[in-house]
Amino acid sequence: MALEASEHKRSLSRKTSDRQMSGKAKPGKGKTADAGKESLAAKLKGAKQAPLPEFVEPQLATLVKSAPSGKRWIHEVKLDGYRLQARISQGKVSLLTRKGLDWTHKFGKAISSALLKLPVSDAVIDGEVAVEAGSGATDFSLLQQDLSDGRQDRFTFHVFDLLYLDGYDLAAVPLLKRKEILETILKDCDPALRYSEHFGDEGGIVLKHACRLSLEGIISKVATAPYRGGRGRDWVKSKCSARQEFVVAGYVPSSVSKTAIGSLVMGYYENGKLRHAGRVGTGYSNAVAQSLFKRLDELRIPKSPFDEKLTAVERKDVVYLKPELVAEVEFRGWTADSHIRHAAFRGLREDKDAGDIVREGAAEAEDAPMPAKRTVNLTHPDRVYWPDAGVTKAGLADYYTQVWRLMAPFVVNRPLALLRGPDGIKGQLFFQKHGWKGMNKNAALVKDPADPEQEDIIIRDLDGLLGLVQGAALEIHPWGSTVNDWEKPDMVNIDLDPGDGVSWERTIEAAYEVKRRFAEMGLTAFVKTSGGKGLHVVAPVKPKAEWPQVKATMKALADGMAADEPDKYVSTITKSKRTGKILIDYLRNGRGNTAVAPYSTRARPGAPVSMPIEWEELTDAISPNYFTVANAAARIAQQTRDPWREFRKAEAPIVFKEKK
DNA sequence: GCCAATT
DNA sequence: AATTGGCAACGCTTT
DNA sequence: AAAGCG
C-alpha cells in the first residue's frame, strides 16, 4: 500500500527550492521537476547513479559482549521496535519489514505523510518504528499492543541510515556521510520522524548511560563503513540485559484462571534440533494473555516438540505446542542447565521465523552463580497483580530479589506500613501496619515501646520482604526511624507533589530548591522518583533529634518555601490541588508516619517503582514513573555504582532552631 | 490473603 | 456454603 | 462536630 502525496506537493517544492540556494545544482538522469536536489547526493564520493531499488537487504548487527571502544566506532541508542525500510518513490511511500514485506498500512498515515513531506523525491531510509512509553523510553510490548488494538497515533519512526537518494545509490558512501545527509533532509521534519543521533564517546560509557536510562542497549557502527546487507561485524549491538527471541513450544495453564496462561515454555534451535530453554511466567498483560491463549490453543499437539527428553520437572503440567510462534524474552542469564533465569515475556515477534531462532551470544561471559532458590513459599505465584504491565506475584518476588541489596538499608528493622492488594491493583487496596493472623512468619512483629498494645510489622532480611509479597504487599512504607531508636529518625523526607499543569522542569527545580535548603541546614539531599506524580528528596540525619523537633524543622522548611515563592509552592494539603503549584509535603516526618521506600513498587498502572537516582540523572529524559518493575532490573544489573551509595556516610545532625 | 462474622 | 467486612492514621479543610 | 481528602 502506498499513499498519495498531492496535498504535500507544495511544501515539498518549497523546501526543494530553499535547498537549491546553497547546493550546487547538477542535473540528474530522468528527473524533471526536482533537478536541483541531485546536488546533495551527486557530490558525494562513492555515490553512484542507479535506479531506485525495490528493496535493500537491511544491514544487521552482531551481538557482542561489551561495547567496542575506539574512535572508529560511533554509537546509537538501540530501539525496541520494528526494523523498517522506508521507500519513497515519486510521491508514494512504502514501509518494508526486514524481509521486504509491505507493512505500510499497519502504521497509519502519520509516518507515511511525514515521509512525504521530506524534501526528496526518491529515497530509501533505514530506521525503526517504536512507540514511546511515557517520556522517552520505547517499549516493544506497547508497540505490539498498539498494533493489535489498531492504535496508530503513538508511532514514531527513528531513522538512522540513508541508502538511496534521488538517483544515487549511497551504499558505498561512508556511514557518517550518509548520516550527515540524512540529518539535513530530516531538518525541521514532522515529529513522527526522528533522526537517530549518534555518540562518539567510548562505547562502554555510552552503553552505561543507555542502561542507566533503562534503554535496551546500543548499536555501534564503524564510522567509515559502507552499507552492507546481512549480519556483519561493521554493526554490533550490546545490550543492557539479556534479551532474545525464543520459540514458544508449550504453555502451562494458569492455576488461577482456566483461559489464561501460567507460563510459556520456550525453546531454540541448535543444529536443527529444538532445545528446551525453560519457562517464562511473567511480563504479559491480561489482554495479551487472553489473545495469546486463543492462538496457543490452536497450536496444541499431543507430543513434545523438543528433540530432547525433558525432565519430570520440566514436563510438569505442560501443554505442548507446534513450534511456530516466536516471543521476545528478557532474562537475567543462563543457568548451568541451559535454562533462562528470571525471564519476562516482552511480546510476540511476528516478523521472525521460528526456524531461525537460535541461542544468541554464545560468547557471553560465564553465567553468574545460580541464586539460591526462593525458600519463601508463594501461593498463586502467577496471580497477576499489575494486569497492564503483566507483573505477577512471582514477578514481584523476583524484582525484590534483584533490588534487595540496594533496598535493604531503607526497610530492614523499620516499622512498616503496607499497602496490600490481594487481587492486584485493580482490586481493593488497604493499608496495614499491624500484624495479622496468617502473616508470613518471615516477617516479624515488634511492640511499639510507646504503645505496647500495638505490634508493628518489621522485616530483617529478604525472606521477610518476600513474606510480605506473599501477603500481597504492593507498596512498602517504612518509618524514618529504626527499632534501635524509635523516637529519633535517621532520615527525613520531602515529597514534592506537583498539581495539575505543573511542568516536569518546575518539579525538578523544586527538588533542587529543597536540596539547597537542606544544604543550608547541613544536610545532604538525595533524590528518587516517586513512581507516582512527583519526586522525593531524602536526607540522612544523625538519630539525635526526636520526632517533634524534626517535624517542626521540616514544616519550617516547607512553609519557608511556600512563603518565599507563594505562586510556586504550597505547604498545606488541600489548597495544593489548585492547579499550577507544587505541594511541599513535609508530613512524612512525624512519629508513625511513613513514606514509600526506595525501590518499593507502587500500586499504580504500569508497575512503577520509586527509584533512587543521581542528581545528574534528573533531566527530561526521565519522569516520575519512568522506572518500573519491567525496566528496573536492567538498570540495577548494569549500574556500576549505587546512586545513593553515600547515603549513610552523609548523615548529619538536625539543629533545631527554637522559634521566637 | 486470610480470618471472623454474617447471610 | 457462600458472602462480606476488616485490615492506618494524621493534619488539615470542607460540610 | 463530623466527614472528606491527600
Side-chain angles (χ1 to χ4, degrees):
Chain A
M1 189 193 283
L3 292 160
E4 294 305 326
S6 50
E7 75 228 38
H8 304 303
K9 270 279 153 49
R10 208 153 32 114
S11 64
L12 185 143
S13 57
R14 179 173 43 74
K15 280 187 186 170
T16 301
S17 58
D18 283 352
R19 198 168 302 284
Q20 274 179 301
M21 311 280 278
S22 55
K24 251 182 275 173
K26 178 172 178 180
K29 201 162 111 184
K31 292 290 174 309
T32 50
D34 299 315
K37 286 201 313 293
E38 249 60 44
S39 57
L40 255 182
K43 67 181 176 189
L44 289 172
K45 221 164 114 186
K48 56 174 203 276
Q49 289 197 356
L52 180 68
E54 285 304 314
F55 176 64
V56 181
E57 187 193 357
Q59 180 157 357
L60 303 175
T62 306
L63 179 66
V64 292
K65 210 164 46 181
S66 56
S69 77
K71 284 210 162 45
R72 47 189 297 258
W73 296 94
I74 59 156
H75 314 277
E76 296 170 357
V77 167
K78 184 174 188 320
L79 292 165
D80 194 15
Y82 273 108
R83 181 74 173 273
L84 233 42
Q85 184 170 111
R87 187 174 183 275
I88 305 173
S89 170
Q90 303 291 334
K92 290 185 181 176
V93 168
S94 42
L95 301 172
L96 308 171
T97 66
R98 59 165 78 198
K99 282 192 204 130
L101 300 177
D102 192 328
W103 274 31
T104 314
H105 60 284
K106 296 222 188 203
F107 296 101
K109 279 219 295 261
I111 290 176
S112 300
S113 59
L115 285 163
L116 284 175
K117 281 186 244 171
L118 297 179
V120 302
S121 55
D122 297 299
V124 175
I125 297 174
D126 195 2
E128 184 110 356
V129 170
V131 171
E132 271 184 22
S135 67
T138 55
D139 188 325
F140 183 76
S141 54
L142 271 185
L143 172 69
Q144 195 123 71
Q145 205 178 311
D146 282 11
L147 280 174
S148 68
D149 296 351
R151 182 171 174 179
Q152 300 181 325
D153 55 333
R154 291 198 293 187
F155 297 127
T156 48
F157 188 37
H158 299 256
V159 305
F160 45 72
D161 215 325
L162 178 64
L163 316 185
Y164 182 93
L165 177 65
D166 295 335
Y168 288 84
D169 175 358
L170 304 186
V173 175
L175 169 66
L176 275 186
K177 205 73 199 164
R178 297 199 304 271
K179 286 201 70 172
E180 199 179 293
I181 309 286
L182 180 62
E183 187 174 13
T184 316
I185 293 172
L186 268 282
K187 196 156 185 303
D188 302 321
C189 69
D190 187 296
L193 302 182
R194 310 283 169 86
Y195 170 72
S196 178
E197 304 280 350
H198 54 262
F199 306 90
D201 312 71
E202 277 300 293
I205 294 175
V206 180
L207 178 62
K208 209 165 82 188
H209 282 262
C211 299
R212 220 161 62 153
L213 287 168
S214 293
L215 299 166
E216 194 192 337
I218 62 171
I219 304 270
S220 310
K221 302 175 177 176
V222 175
T224 56
Y227 194 91
R228 271 191 284 258
R231 205 173 293 279
R233 304 293 303 192
D234 285 348
W235 289 16
V236 299
K237 56 185 172 189
S238 18
K239 299 185 179 183
C240 297
S241 66
R243 191 185 250 258
Q244 75 156 81
E245 296 89 28
F246 287 98
V247 180
V248 183
Y251 71 92
V252 180
S254 165
S255 57
V256 181
S257 158
K258 253 202 103 164
T259 59
I261 291 160
S263 56
L264 295 173
V265 179
M266 314 306 282
Y268 59 92
Y269 284 96
E270 189 176 75
N271 303 323
K273 310 261 195 216
L274 185 62
R275 301 219 28 199
H276 181 251
R279 299 183 183 185
V280 179
T282 188
Y284 23 78
S285 67
N286 268 1
V288 170
Q290 289 287 322
S291 70
L292 212 50
F293 186 84
K294 242 179 261 162
R295 297 197 47 188
L296 295 184
D297 209 40
E298 296 162 6
L299 294 174
R300 295 174 69 136
I301 51 173
K303 277 183 38 189
S304 165
F306 291 107
D307 290 299
E308 58 187 337
K309 196 161 152 40
L310 302 191
T311 66
V313 178
E314 289 168 345
R315 275 200 308 269
K316 192 170 184 315
D317 300 327
V318 173
V319 177
Y320 295 113
L321 302 172
K322 224 182 287 177
E324 280 182 4
L325 292 181
V326 175
E328 174 147 329
V329 172
E330 183 170 341
F331 58 105
R332 297 250 58 83
W334 293 88
T335 65
D337 53 349
S338 278
H339 286 184
I340 46 181
R341 180 148 44 84
H342 287 145
F345 180 81
R346 289 288 171 253
L348 286 181
R349 297 299 307 234
E350 311 284 1
D351 55 340
K352 303 270 174 85
D353 269 348
D356 295 341
I357 301 305
V358 295
R359 177 167 165 177
E360 279 182 30
E364 222 174 302
E366 293 71 54
D367 298 324
M370 267 266 273
K373 197 170 165 277
R374 205 169 35 230
T375 56
V376 178
N377 185 53
L378 298 182
T379 59
H380 305 299
D382 51 9
R383 172 97 80 220
V384 179
Y385 282 164
W386 282 265
D388 57 340
V391 175
T392 61
K393 192 178 190 177
L396 179 60
D398 283 349
Y399 165 76
Y400 278 131
T401 303
Q402 284 162 22
V403 300
W404 175 250
R405 181 173 58 83
L406 299 165
M407 183 182 189
F410 306 102
V411 291
V412 166
N413 287 333
R414 293 170 187 276
L416 302 175
L418 310 174
L419 183 59
R420 300 179 57 206
D423 299 313
I425 65 164
K426 296 288 181 59
Q428 202 184 73
L429 302 170
F430 54 92
F431 271 95
Q432 188 158 344
K433 62 186 307 189
H434 307 303
W436 65 96
K437 286 185 201 104
M439 186 178 78
N440 187 285
K441 290 296 173 282
N442 290 290
L445 295 177
V446 176
K447 278 193 179 52
D448 180 346
D451 184 3
E453 306 288 284
Q454 301 291 3
E455 298 231 295
D456 283 13
I457 302 163
I458 65 159
I459 58 177
R460 300 201 171 91
D461 50 28
L462 174 59
D463 283 353
L465 180 54
L466 297 181
L468 299 183
V469 170
Q470 160 57 19
L474 306 185
E475 297 190 1
I476 314 283
H477 298 239
W479 284 34
S481 65
T482 69
V483 294
N484 300 328
D485 200 340
W486 291 64
E487 306 311 324
K488 295 174 183 168
D490 64 357
M491 52 197 286
V492 291
N493 190 317
I494 294 287
D495 175 7
L496 299 169
D497 190 4
D500 287 342
V502 174
S503 68
W504 175 233
E505 286 68 29
R506 282 195 44 211
T507 311
I508 293 175
E509 181 192 324
Y512 275 100
E513 177 61 16
V514 173
K515 182 184 193 230
R516 196 182 65 72
R517 287 173 189 252
F518 271 173
E520 274 180 357
M521 304 166 49
L523 301 181
T524 309
F526 293 81
V527 65
K528 64 186 175 83
T529 62
S530 68
K533 279 182 65 186
L535 286 170
H536 295 162
V537 181
V538 185
V541 300
K542 272 205 161 52
K544 237 177 129 192
E546 302 205 335
W547 283 116
Q549 292 124 60
V550 170
K551 181 170 176 180
T553 309
M554 290 301 116
K555 181 177 194 313
L557 184 149
D559 289 345
M561 266 178 84
D564 290 351
E565 295 182 279
D567 47 341
K568 286 185 178 171
Y569 308 124
V570 288
S571 58
T572 55
I573 297 266
T574 321
K575 205 84 168 158
S576 77
K577 279 299 98 179
R578 286 250 269 275
T579 48
K581 301 202 173 120
I582 297 171
L583 168 64
I584 317 298
D585 183 356
Y586 64 92
L587 55 54
R588 272 93 250 288
N589 299 295
R591 189 183 199 279
N593 293 132
T594 59
V596 74
Y599 302 101
S600 171
T601 52
R602 304 304 305 270
R604 297 160 184 258
V609 302
S610 181
M611 177 64 74
I613 60 175
E614 308 263 7
W615 282 97
E616 293 72 40
E617 293 182 272
L618 194 54
T619 68
D620 60 7
I622 65 162
S623 64
N625 57 6
Y626 180 88
F627 295 103
T628 65
V629 169
N631 68 26
R635 171 187 168 91
I636 308 291
Q638 184 68 28
Q639 82 190 353
T640 48
R641 306 198 313 175
D642 169 6
W644 284 22
R645 65 197 164 278
E646 303 288 349
F647 192 85
R648 258 339 344 154
K649 268 184 251 169
E651 67 179 24
I654 284 196
V655 182
F656 181 53
K657 293 197 196 75
E658 205 65 56
K659 85 177 149 188
K660 342 186 172 113

